[in-house]
Amino acid sequence: MYIGRFAPSPTGALHAGSLVAALASWLDARAHGGQWLVRIEDVDTPRCVPGADQAILQQLATCGLVPDAPPVWQSHRTHLYEAALARLVDAGLAYPCACSRKDIELAHAARGLSRLRGAELPYPGTCRPERGGLHARPARAWRLHTARSNQKMPPTPTERALTAIDSEASTALNLVHWHDRRLGPQQQDVEHEVGDFVLRRADGLWAYQLAVVIDDAEQGVTHVVRGEDLADNTPRQILLQRALGVPTPRYLHTPLVLAADGQKLSKQNGAQALDLTDPTAALTQAASTLDLPLPSDGATLADMLAEWTAEWAARWRS
Ligand code: GLU
């Protein structure tokens, strides 16, 4: 059984980059004879733009990308996130944190480390329960205990093999290994590179990592196809899946569309909403990013989608 999904954040209409992820996830579901779902990821309410959800659904429909079940909105599902956090807290896998960004910088400075420009500092574990918890300060956010979550799963065969040949066996055990269907084998030491990450933010909003993992599990998603800019979130999501005891889907991260200045195209850097007066032209552009054959002149939308679905299916068979 295959269940795939496209999970846009309604922070604006789709742009050329998001259409690539939408088309790839739709094609992958079709090529596997699976189901394709659309989930509107509107938990980060301050960033959501009123009406963008309907605009996105309309844009998808114009491109012939119609979900196989009614779309869901994360803002209607907060009871699921609440229950998951409670479960993690009960299991000792999540804890409250009182640290502000400044506190985290100071903790790093005290250890002689400074912030790399633009990089998020890994959380140093100040409020971990075994280190004394909140130290009488008020709780702000909730974090996943990455070290304990890592121990929730027996090592995979790859991890066991690495441990056997690696003299720094304990280091290898901290790594999350995963296989991306396009990028190949990947790994990350989440505990040291990211630290205990946030599940519920200081402003009370649900973090993307928690919402996405709960929804993928609850909706039975077996295959995640999304843009490569999200690839480095995957190991955090896998750790969270381990902590919650839910299955890990297969992942495929699609190439990004770059703006003229070489930056990734995103709503934040002012990417234009797609011009869908000619949906075949927009889809042809997305298809070229995915290295799919380009349609002959005069091909209809339905012909193009059918041809690419066949091409995509052939690729996975080869
Ligand atoms: N909502 C996320 C975004 O629009 C995508 C989440 C995902 O596909 O996992 O960037």
Side-chain angles (χ1 to χ4, degrees):
M1 200 202 24
Y2 178 114
I3 300 182
R5 65 11 171 229
F6 175 57
S9 303
T11 53
L14 294 182
H15 55 73
S18 31
L19 184 63
V20 171
L23 175 63
S25 67
W26 184 89
L27 286 174
D28 200 47
R30 284 289 168 276
H32 283 87
Q35 261 210 321
W36 186 66
L37 308 177
V38 172
R39 183 170 73 227
I40 303 291
E41 301 213 320
D42 57 348
V43 273
D44 191 355
T45 39
R47 287 184 54 228
C48 293
V49 172
D53 50 355
Q54 294 302 340
I56 291 171
L57 294 172
Q58 185 56 51
Q59 286 177 302
L60 291 171
T62 306
C63 293
L65 310 180
V66 179
D68 297 313
V72 299
W73 273 254
Q74 286 189 324
S75 55
H76 301 166
R77 298 164 67 83
T78 52
H79 59 286
L80 297 173
Y81 316 141
E82 194 94 50
L85 179 60
R87 226 157 35 88
L88 291 169
V89 172
D90 282 350
L93 298 172
Y95 62 89
C97 170
C99 298
S100 63
R101 212 172 270 264
K102 188 88 211 147
D103 294 328
I104 297 172
E105 274 176 25
L106 290 173
H108 277 268
R111 290 157 62 192
L113 304 169
S114 61
R115 172 195 285 278
L116 289 177
R117 232 155 45 100
E120 267 298 307
L121 287 171
Y123 182 64
T126 318
C127 294
R128 276 189 173 179
E130 67 273 26
R131 290 177 56 184
L134 293 167
H135 299 98
R137 296 172 301 162
R140 292 164 49 88
W142 290 80
R143 293 181 181 274
L144 184 77
H145 198 304
T146 49
R148 291 185 188 165
S149 303
N150 221 356
Q151 288 156 11
K152 287 293 289 178
M153 274 291 268
T156 62
T158 323
E159 284 167 341
R160 262 200 304 275
L162 278 171
T163 316
I165 49 171
D166 189 343
S167 55
E168 291 178 51
S170 58
T171 315
L173 270 181
N174 280 333
L175 290 174
V176 174
H177 292 269
W178 55 284
H179 183 87
D180 184 275
R181 291 163 57 205
R182 174 173 153 261
L183 303 171
Q186 309 284 315
Q187 62 180 44
Q188 191 184 47
D189 180 340
V190 178
E191 185 181 355
H192 294 104
E193 290 176 43
V194 182
D196 294 350
F197 54 89
V198 169
L199 302 173
R200 188 172 200 167
R201 301 173 5 180
D203 56 11
L205 294 178
W206 294 100
Y208 157 65
Q209 308 294 352
L210 180 74
V212 83
V213 164
I214 294 302
D215 285 334
D216 283 341
E218 200 273 338
Q219 296 186 285
V221 169
T222 56
H223 291 71
V224 171
V225 177
R226 59 186 178 191
E228 197 177 323
D229 53 328
L230 292 162
D232 67 346
N233 289 270
T234 308
R236 264 172 279 176
Q237 293 171 14
I238 293 174
L239 263 193
L240 198 41
Q241 289 153 2
R242 289 181 182 181
L244 289 159
V246 298
T248 291
R250 300 200 58 195
Y251 289 96
L252 186 161
H253 289 87
T254 56
L256 300 181
V257 177
L258 299 182
D261 59 2
Q263 294 288 311
K264 133 180 144 83
L265 211 56
S266 75
K267 292 167 202 160
Q268 283 75 36
N269 66 18
Q272 296 285 313
L274 274 175
D275 172 9
L276 288 176
T277 45
D278 181 0
T280 56
L283 280 169
T284 303
Q285 200 201 342
S288 77
T289 304
L290 294 168
D291 265 340
L292 291 166
L294 300 182
S296 48
D297 281 347
T300 66
L301 191 59
D303 289 344
M304 285 165 57
L305 293 174
E307 186 184 329
W308 291 331
T309 310
E311 162 82 15
W312 203 260
R315 265 200 216 187
W316 305 138
R317 277 195 295 270
S318 62

